Amino acid sequence: MSVIHALTGKKILLGISGGIAAYKCAELTRRLKDQGADVRIVMTSSAKEFITPLTMQAVSGHAIADDLLDPNAEAGMGHIELAKWADIVLLAPATANLIARLRAGLADELLTTLCLATPSPIAVSPAMNMEMYQAAATQENISVLALRGLLIWGPGEGPQACGDIGPGRMLEPQQLVARVVDFFNVPHAVFADVNITITAGPTQEALDPVRYISNHSSGKMGFSLAEVAQKMGANVTLISGPVNLTTPTNVKRIDVKTALEMHKASLENLNSCDIFIACAAVADYRPEVVAQHKMKKQQGIDDLTLKLVKNPDIIADVAKDKNRPFCVGFAAETKDVECYAKDKLKRKNLDLIAANDVAKAGQGFNSEKNALSVFSAQQRFDIKLADKKAVAHQLLEIIYQQYKQ
Ligand code: C5P
């Protein structure tokens, strides 16, 4: 009989950097393995000054990875393969130096390179002297990593190796194991067996074979939602307008150009859809006639009138369907955000609407960040300005809470 532990089948890449807390990594590895995890270890060169690779190899049961340029190691599990292998990368201890290198995006040795290459979540467990932890540079570096969606676990407070007392201790091995267990259990499997369809990006409405009407949507918010929803266990279908983004791992992507194509693709899959999130910036109107050939300038005529006709409202039609899923809309507004959002919630018969003020600099369209106010018929939730992936996570938590009611 095989025993199922909390981390059975989970693949954990433990990245150790050079701090005194590295001596606890042997214990940490044992406790992760007690819970059924497969642990592979990457050490920085300075980590090896604090705990030997031989010890770590013995407790993990695998050879230690420590060299980016070692052809023998690359012939085994190469660095990209290792980066893809991990379900989570746990950096413990993460020194001030490692944190600064991650913030800068350096790929100066194997561990930092893996952190850039991995599609998986990265958890950072800071460990350093309290003054170093409180230094403005370290604080800023940690907040940038958090904004990018890295998980920051710790530090704890208490006596330090140098004799100071304060914040900067690495969390104890058992606390870190509890964080890893929580990470896999609580928010991350909540959408198991749930089918989520997400529309993303702009639509393009052709005028002729070379011109179209469109908008500034980059698709980043919808793609972030797709990536995070998949990590939370959902089967995700992403219906995307023309964007320049790579498809998140294990997400089914359907590419469309026009609102009519997006409408058709959205309605076709409704019998197997539990949650529909309309993140796309759909063109409200399309040219009535698409010229077969490129439209030419007319000599002596200074104006041109285009007749536009209304596109179908995709989410409103989804919400009318007999197989109606839980419907989440977006409202990008430049003023009176709450008022317009609530009106759309009602008019389109939605369960939730996520509104953002696209007139504010640095958020919304074509930006890396977003802030949302989310409304149901009775409640309001505010998600502060953050990296779109962090915002996607919080929005999906809200969707989950409302969906399961
Ligand atoms: O454009 P509007 O502000 O009405 O968009 C609100 C919501 O409706 C968004 O979720 C958007 O994706 C969706 N929408 C749609 N089909 C349209 C227009 C908007 O699904 N034709």
Side-chain angles (χ1 to χ4, degrees):
M1 192 182 78
S2 60
V3 184
I4 306 290
H5 293 291
L7 298 176
T8 296
K10 298 293 181 233
K11 301 191 236 34
I12 299 172
L13 191 63
L14 174 60
I16 308 177
S17 61
I20 180 60
Y23 83 89
K24 295 184 180 174
C25 286
E27 173 75 9
L28 173 60
T29 305
R30 288 299 297 266
R31 300 289 79 89
L32 288 168
K33 289 190 61 160
D34 285 349
Q35 292 298 330
D38 187 3
V39 185
R40 285 184 183 257
I41 306 219
V42 182
M43 299 178 81
T44 63
S45 45
S46 48
K48 290 186 272 180
E49 304 290 331
F50 290 90
I51 188 162
T52 71
L54 191 62
T55 304
M56 294 315 301
Q57 175 173 322
V59 289
S60 70
H62 296 291
I64 300 312
D66 56 3
D67 191 349
L68 186 57
L69 305 172
D70 177 357
N72 291 329
E74 286 290 301
M77 197 185 276
H79 67 280
I80 297 293
E81 217 178 329
L82 201 52
K84 287 190 180 151
W85 169 86
D87 293 318
I88 188 169
V89 177
L90 171 59
L91 304 175
T95 58
N97 183 36
L98 178 66
I99 288 169
R101 288 190 288 156
L102 293 177
R103 189 251 167 105
L106 297 188
D108 54 349
E109 65 178 317
L110 180 64
L111 183 55
T112 47
T113 306
L114 285 169
C115 289
L116 282 181
T118 187
S120 303
I122 300 175
V124 180
S125 181
M128 65 200 74
N129 162 270
M130 58 179 273
E131 300 294 347
M132 292 172 75
Y133 174 68
Q134 284 165 341
T138 307
Q139 288 298 312
E140 194 188 305
N141 290 339
I142 290 176
S143 50
V144 170
L145 296 186
L147 275 180
R148 286 183 198 156
L150 278 73
L151 305 160
I152 309 295
W153 291 349
E157 287 203 26
Q160 303 206 300
C162 53
D164 286 344
I165 298 179
R169 287 170 58 89
M170 185 174 90
L171 293 185
E172 295 303 327
Q174 288 293 16
Q175 291 175 302
L176 285 173
V177 173
R179 294 292 184 108
V180 176
V181 170
D182 271 2
F183 169 82
F184 283 114
N185 283 343
V186 190
H188 288 270
V190 293
F191 285 126
D193 296 327
V194 176
N195 298 320
I196 302 186
T197 300
I198 300 169
T199 67
T203 63
Q204 283 180 0
E205 311 296 334
L207 283 162
D208 67 18
V210 294
R211 302 185 183 92
Y212 55 79
I213 298 173
S214 191
N215 59 63
H216 291 298
S217 170
S218 64
K220 282 179 198 149
M221 191 65 231
F223 275 60
S224 297
L225 282 165
E227 180 181 337
V228 178
Q230 193 279 329
K231 287 191 177 141
M232 291 169 85
N235 304 316
V236 180
T237 304
L238 178 61
I239 304 175
S240 177
V243 295
N244 199 4
L245 297 171
T246 42
T247 313
T249 315
N250 292 329
V251 164
K252 179 182 164 199
R253 172 166 168 181
I254 301 173
D255 280 320
V256 296
K257 267 210 176 111
T258 66
L260 288 177
E261 287 168 9
M262 190 174 272
H263 184 255
K264 183 165 177 277
S266 300
L267 292 176
E268 260 168 15
N269 295 310
L270 279 190
N271 53 356
S272 58
C273 173
D274 302 304
I275 300 176
F276 188 89
I277 308 176
C279 198
V282 184
D284 290 330
Y285 294 89
R286 66 181 182 277
E288 183 179 43
V289 182
V290 183
Q292 209 184 347
H293 296 288
K294 185 178 167 198
M295 291 159 70
K296 305 300 277 181
K297 259 191 299 257
Q298 303 285 320
Q299 288 299 331
I301 301 180
D302 287 344
D303 48 26
L304 170 71
T305 305
L306 290 171
K307 181 159 182 207
L308 302 178
V309 292
K310 213 172 202 169
N311 271 323
D313 191 310
I314 300 169
I315 195 158
D317 286 351
V318 167
K320 278 184 207 146
D321 195 271
K322 64 178 190 316
N323 295 315
R324 181 187 187 284
F326 185 92
C327 289
V328 184
F330 271 73
E333 305 293 347
T334 52
K335 62 170 189 155
D336 299 334
V337 175
E338 176 163 355
C339 178
Y340 284 126
K342 283 186 170 162
D343 172 62
K344 274 177 199 170
L345 181 79
K346 217 163 159 194
R347 200 162 29 83
K348 301 191 186 208
N349 185 25
L350 308 180
D351 298 286
L352 281 177
I353 192 146
N356 56 352
D357 188 340
V358 284
K360 285 195 183 142
Q363 68 184 62
F365 275 172
N366 233 336
S367 151
E368 295 303 323
K369 290 189 185 176
N370 208 358
L372 295 173
S373 301
V374 185
F375 301 93
S376 69
Q378 291 85 25
Q379 284 174 284
R380 173 185 177 137
F381 311 85
D382 283 303
I383 302 176
K384 285 205 197 90
L385 186 67
D387 173 74
K388 283 185 174 167
K389 234 178 265 175
V391 170
H393 198 160
Q394 292 175 69
L395 177 57
L396 284 158
E397 292 282 353
I398 296 169
I399 293 173
Y400 172 67
Q401 295 303 332
Q402 302 288 310
Y403 166 71
K404 73 171 188 190
Q405 279 177 10

